C-alpha cells in the first residue's frame, strides 16, 4: 500500500487564517513568464466551498485584485496576507493560496529535498492503528531504536487514536496542526508513546534537519522497483540512473503511489529515462499554449509498469500521463488524484506570496488531468504491487 503520511514527504501542515488547511506542497517551476515569475503546479487539496464564480485562468483579474488589496492593507498598516487571503477565498480558485514569508521559505527548502522531523514514515493499519512504516537511516527515529511495525500511541501526550496518518505526521513534524502553534525547529523535542508487541514505553526524540529520500530502489525478483515519493530537486536524475543501472532484460516497477508531486522539471527528467524524446505534456499560461519535451536517448525497450493511486498527484500525474499516452507503461492501481493546474506566485509587500491558477496541464493525448485524474489500465485497489508484478511478467519481464 502507499504510505499516506510520510513525514519526509512534501506535506507540511499549514494554518490558514483561523482554519486548518492541509497543503500538499508540490511546486512546479517550468518556465519564466514575461514578468520573470515562474508558473508552477502547487498540489494543494481543495479548500472549503467558496462563494463567487470560478476563477478564470489567464484573465489576470484576480491577481490584480489581490495585489491591490495587499497594497492597500500595507498602506493602512493592516495584515497584508490576511487581505490577500480574503480575495483568494472569494475568487473561486480552488487551488489558490497565500503563504507568509516563512511558510514560503519552508516550501522552497522542501523542494530542495530537506525537511525537519524525526525520520519516520507512518501509516494507518487495517484495524485503525498508526504504525511506523519505515525509518530513515541515520535519523533520530533510527538512532532511538524505532523500527517498522512499532505502533505509535501518542505524540506529545496527544493520543493518536482515531487520527489519520497525515495528522500524526503533522504532530511529529510539529507543524502547528493544533492550537495555531508555530512549526517546530530542528533541535526541538517530541515525546512519543510507542508499543511493540506487549511492551509499551515513552521516548523523547530531537527533531533534526534531514535529507528526504525521494527515490529508493530495490530488486523485486528479476525486476527493479523504483519508488518516487516526491519530485524534489535531483530526483529525476536518480530515476534515470536507476534505469541505466538495471540489469539487462529486467523490467521496471515505477511506484508513484502517494507521490504528492514536486518540480515538473524533475518529472520530465524522469520521463526522459523511458522515452526517446517527444512530448511529455502541454500546458497553458494566460492562454498561451506551451509544451514540455523529454530528452532523447531514454530506454524505450525495457518493460515498465507504473503503480498509481489516489495519492498520485500533479507532477506525478504528468509523468503517469506521459508514459501511459506514449504507450511506454501499463498503469496499475487506482485513479490518480486529479491535480493538473498551473499556479503563478506573486510576491506581496510583506514578503508573503499569493499563488493563483493561470492554466492547466494536459497529457500528450490531450486529456485534461485537473478534476479528473488518470484511470489505471489495470484496476487494483488492493494488492497493487502483487498485481503489478503479474502484469510486468506478462510484458516479458521476469519478476
Amino acid at each position: 500500500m502507499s504510505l499516506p503520511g510520510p513525514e519526509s514527504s512534501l506535506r507540511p501542515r499549514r494554518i490558514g487564517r483561523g482554519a486548518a488547511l492541509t497543503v500538499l506542497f508540490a511546486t512546479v517551476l517550468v518556465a519564466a513568464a514575461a514578468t520573470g515569475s515562474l508558473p508552477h503546479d502547487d498540489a494543494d487539496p481543495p479548500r472549503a466551498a467558496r462563494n463567487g464564480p470560478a476563477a478564470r485562468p489567464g484573465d489576470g483579474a484576480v491577481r490584480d485584485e489581490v495585489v491591490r488589496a495587499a497594497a492597500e492593507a500595507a498602506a493602512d498598516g493592516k495584515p497584508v496576507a490576511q487581505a490577500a487571503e480574503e480575495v483568494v477565498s472569494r475568487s473561486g480558485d480552488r487551488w489558490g493560496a497565500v503563504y507568509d514569508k516563512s511558510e514560503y521559505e519552508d516550501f522552497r527548502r522542501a523542494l530542495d529535498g530537506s525537511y525537519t522531523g524525526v525520520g519516520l514514515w507512518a501509516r494507518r493499519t487495517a484495524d485503525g492503528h498508526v504504525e511506523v512504516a519505515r525509518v530513515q537511516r541515520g535519523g533520530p527515529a533510527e538512532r532511538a531504536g524505532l523500527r517498522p511495525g512499532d505502533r505509535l500511541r501518542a505524540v506529545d501526550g496527544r493520543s493518536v487514536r482515531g487520527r489519520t496518518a497525515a495528522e500524526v505526521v503533522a504532530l511529529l513534524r510539529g507543524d502547528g496542526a493544533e492550537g495555531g502553534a508555530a512549526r517546530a525547529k530542528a533541535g526541538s523535542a517530541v515525546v512519543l508513546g510507542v508499543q511493540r508487541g506487549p511492551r509499551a514505553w515513552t521516548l523523547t526524540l530531537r527533531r533534526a534537519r534531514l535529507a528526504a529520500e525521494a527515490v529508493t530502489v530495490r530488486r523485486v525478483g528479476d525486476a527493479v522497483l523504483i519508488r518516487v515519493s516526491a519530485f524534489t530537486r535531483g530526483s529525476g536524475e536518480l530515476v534515470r540512473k536507476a534505469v541505466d543501472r538495471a540489469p539487462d532484460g529486467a523490467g521496471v516497477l515505477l511506484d508513484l503511489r502517494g507521490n504528492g508531486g514536486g518540480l515538473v522539471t524533475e518529472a520530465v527528467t524522469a520521463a526522459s529515462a523511458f522515452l526517446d524524446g517527444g512530448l511529455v505534456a502541454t500546458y497553458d499560461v494566460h492562454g498561451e499554449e506551451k509544451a514540455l519535451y523529454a530528452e532523447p536517448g531514454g530506454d524505450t525497450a525495457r518493460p515498465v509498469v507504473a503503480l498509481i493511486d489516489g495519492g498520485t498527484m500533479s507532477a506525478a500525474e504528468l509523468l503517469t500521463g506521459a508514459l501511459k499516452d506514449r504507450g511506454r507503461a501499463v498503469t496499475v492501481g487506482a485513479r490518480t488524484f486529479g491535480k493538473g493546474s498551473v499556479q503563478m506566485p506573486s510576491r506581496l509587500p510583506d514578503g508573503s506570496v499569493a499563488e493563483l491558477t493561470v492554466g492547466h496541464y494536459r497529457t500528450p493525448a490531450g486529456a485534461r488531468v485537473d478534476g479528473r485524474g488518470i484511470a489505471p489500465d489495470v484496476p487494483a485497489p488492493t494488492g497493487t504491487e502483487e498485481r503489478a508484478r503479474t502484469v510486468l511478467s506478462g510484458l516479458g519481464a521476469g519478476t
Side-chain angles (χ1 to χ4, degrees), residues 65-83:
E65 187 179 352
V66 168
V67 171
R68 183 167 52 252
E72 291 175 354
D76 294 340
K78 297 179 179 179
V80 172
Q82 181 177 342

Side-chain angles (χ1 to χ4, degrees), residues 190-281:
V190 57
V191 180
L192 304 185
V194 183
Q195 183 170 346
R196 182 183 299 161
R199 178 192 172 205
W201 75 101
T202 300
L203 73 162
T204 300
L205 303 180
R206 294 281 175 182
R207 298 181 178 95
R209 196 71 185 169
L210 301 170
E213 295 178 326
V215 179
T216 56
V217 183
R218 63 183 173 92
R219 291 293 299 272
V220 179
D222 294 330
V224 175
L225 190 149
I226 304 173
R227 173 166 171 74
V228 188
S229 61
F231 284 109
T232 55
R233 210 171 308 280
S235 58
E237 186 59 31
L238 290 176
V239 172
R240 290 181 62 156
K241 289 180 178 178
V243 174
D244 289 343
R245 294 169 180 171
D248 291 342
V252 170
L253 296 168
L254 182 62
D255 193 350
L256 300 175
R257 293 174 296 172
N259 185 322
L263 295 164
V264 157
T265 50
E266 298 297 338
V268 172
T269 299
S272 300
F274 305 100
L275 300 170
D276 186 15
L279 187 64
V280 173

Side-chain angles (χ1 to χ4, degrees), residues 38-348:
L38 298 169
H40 66 272
D41 171 14
D42 177 0
D44 177 354
R47 293 165 173 259
R50 295 170 170 158
N51 296 322
R56 293 183 297 165
D59 64 12
V62 176
R63 178 186 179 277
D64 291 345
E65 187 179 352
V66 168
V67 171
R68 183 167 52 252
E72 291 175 354
D76 294 340
K78 297 179 179 179
V80 172
Q82 181 177 342
E85 176 76 21
E86 290 173 355
V87 175
V88 174
S89 295
R90 293 195 306 267
S91 72
D93 183 349
R94 71 191 293 236
W95 305 113
V98 179
Y99 306 100
D100 66 31
K101 185 176 181 178
S102 63
E103 287 172 332
Y104 203 70
E105 288 307 310
D106 284 347
F107 192 172
R108 294 170 66 89
R109 283 195 294 269
L111 289 168
D112 286 330
S114 63
Y115 72 104
T116 298
V118 298
L120 67 77
W121 281 252
R123 66 184 170 201
R124 192 172 178 83
T125 63
D127 57 1
H129 295 288
V130 176
E131 69 178 21
V132 176
R134 67 185 179 96
V135 296
Q136 185 163 338
R137 289 172 294 180
E142 185 190 55
R143 292 197 302 269
L146 290 177
R147 61 195 193 201
D150 287 345
R151 182 174 297 176
L152 298 179
R153 303 179 62 184
V155 178
D156 283 336
R158 300 185 181 102
S159 171
V160 303
R161 185 178 180 84
R163 296 180 187 268
T164 66
E167 290 171 336
V168 174
V169 165
L171 294 176
L172 289 169
R173 288 174 53 96
D175 288 337
E178 297 188 18
R183 183 168 300 149
K185 299 182 182 299
S188 61
V190 57
V191 180
L192 304 185
V194 183
Q195 183 170 346
R196 182 183 299 161
R199 178 192 172 205
W201 75 101
T202 300
L203 73 162
T204 300
L205 303 180
R206 294 281 175 182
R207 298 181 178 95
R209 196 71 185 169
L210 301 170
E213 295 178 326
V215 179
T216 56
V217 183
R218 63 183 173 92
R219 291 293 299 272
V220 179
D222 294 330
V224 175
L225 190 149
I226 304 173
R227 173 166 171 74
V228 188
S229 61
F231 284 109
T232 55
R233 210 171 308 280
S235 58
E237 186 59 31
L238 290 176
V239 172
R240 290 181 62 156
K241 289 180 178 178
V243 174
D244 289 343
R245 294 169 180 171
D248 291 342
V252 170
L253 296 168
L254 182 62
D255 193 350
L256 300 175
R257 293 174 296 172
N259 185 322
L263 295 164
V264 157
T265 50
E266 298 297 338
V268 172
T269 299
S272 300
F274 305 100
L275 300 170
D276 186 15
L279 187 64
V280 173
T282 60
Y283 66 99
D284 57 280
V285 174
H286 296 305
E288 181 181 356
E289 196 73 18
K290 299 177 182 292
L292 298 168
Y293 294 94
E295 292 291 328
D299 186 329
T300 59
R302 194 183 301 276
V304 181
V305 172
L307 289 70
I308 58 175
D309 67 3
T312 305
M313 301 174 65
S314 61
E317 290 178 284
L318 183 148
L319 173 58
T320 300
L323 297 183
K324 181 176 181 178
D325 284 5
R326 297 282 302 275
R328 198 53 202 91
V330 176
T331 54
V332 176
R335 183 179 291 273
T336 62
F337 182 85
K339 170 64 176 67
S341 60
V342 183
Q343 275 71 48
M344 182 81 75
S346 296
R347 186 77 64 173
L348 303 179

